[in-house]
């Protein structure tokens, strides 16, 4: 693929990915404010943006084998843990932006768990097995992630366990 086209596809993928997430966030906000049809519209258009992002990602050749995809997950989470979020959190603390620093702290703590989960499943997949957890639970405040059982309180942000989202 020619460099200009590749660059444009990568930028389009990034833009569509951000639009997808932004519209899902807007949908949650509309739902919270009692506008379920507006929430549905945001979710529908978010899905269309996901389709665009997926198409660009495929054309870029970014989808590999299960093992390669898991390794990309490990690499991405590791980069966030070791390089990205520590720097971002430090900058937020230096600039006395408490909300930003807290947001970065929440993310790095969750990313550590995600990297470990990907490492565990990589080993399982290499043996021909599937992921072993029946359920995954996510704290909707900080992103803390746990398998099969919900803690009484989130160990990162303190949210009651009954508020976790089940997958």
């Amino acid at each position: 693929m020619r460099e200009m086209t590749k660059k444009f596809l990568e930028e389009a993928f990034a833009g569509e990915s951000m639009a997808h997430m932004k519209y899902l966030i807007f949908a949650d906000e509309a739902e919270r404010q009692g506008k379920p049809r507006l929430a549905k519209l945001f979710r529908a258009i978010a899905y269309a943006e996901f389709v665009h992002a997926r198409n660009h990602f495929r054309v870029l050749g970014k989808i590999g084998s299960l093992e390669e995809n898991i390794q990309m997950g490990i690499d991405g989470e590791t980069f966030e843990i070791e390089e990205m979020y520590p720097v971002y959190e430090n900058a937020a603390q230096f600039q006395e932006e408490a909300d930003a620093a807290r947001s970065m702290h929440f993310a790095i703590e969750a990313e550590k768990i995600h990297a470990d989960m990907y490492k565990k499943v990589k080993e399982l997949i290499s043996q021909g097995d599937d992921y072993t957890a029946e359920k995954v639970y996510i704290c909707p405040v900080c992103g803390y992630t746990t398998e099969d059982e919900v803690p009484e309180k989130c160990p990162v942000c303190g949210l009651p366990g009954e508020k976790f989202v089940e997958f």
Side-chain angles (χ1 to χ4, degrees), residues 21-124:
M21 292 308 304
K22 178 173 56 178
Y23 296 157
L24 289 177
I25 292 166
F26 291 167
D28 286 350
E29 187 63 19
E31 193 82 47
R32 194 182 66 73
Q33 293 187 33
K35 304 290 187 241
R37 290 188 298 263
L38 175 55
K40 186 187 299 188
L41 175 64
F42 275 127
R43 287 189 182 100
I45 294 173
Y47 179 73
E49 305 300 353
F50 162 77
V51 170
H52 302 155
R54 181 183 59 204
N55 290 344
H56 299 331
F57 201 65
R58 281 188 178 145
V59 172
L60 285 163
K62 300 282 188 175
I63 302 172
S65 67
L66 288 177
E67 291 84 357
E68 291 167 332
N69 294 341
I70 293 165
Q71 187 61 52
M72 279 197 294
I74 292 168
D75 295 345
E77 301 297 315
T78 301
F79 169 76
E80 291 172 346
I81 294 163
E82 293 178 357
E83 296 183 44
M84 187 180 90
Y85 280 125
V87 171
Y88 291 1
E89 186 177 11
N90 264 349
Q93 289 169 345
F94 177 76
Q95 295 186 328
E96 298 179 354
E97 297 287 351
D99 289 341
R102 183 174 40 259
S103 183
M104 301 299 174
H105 173 73
F106 287 169
I108 197 169
E109 292 305 315
E111 306 303 9
K112 290 174 186 176
I113 298 164
H114 302 162
D116 288 342
M117 292 170 121
Y118 280 143
K119 289 173 186 173
K120 174 180 154 187
V121 78
K122 183 179 179 185
E123 179 66 26
L124 292 167

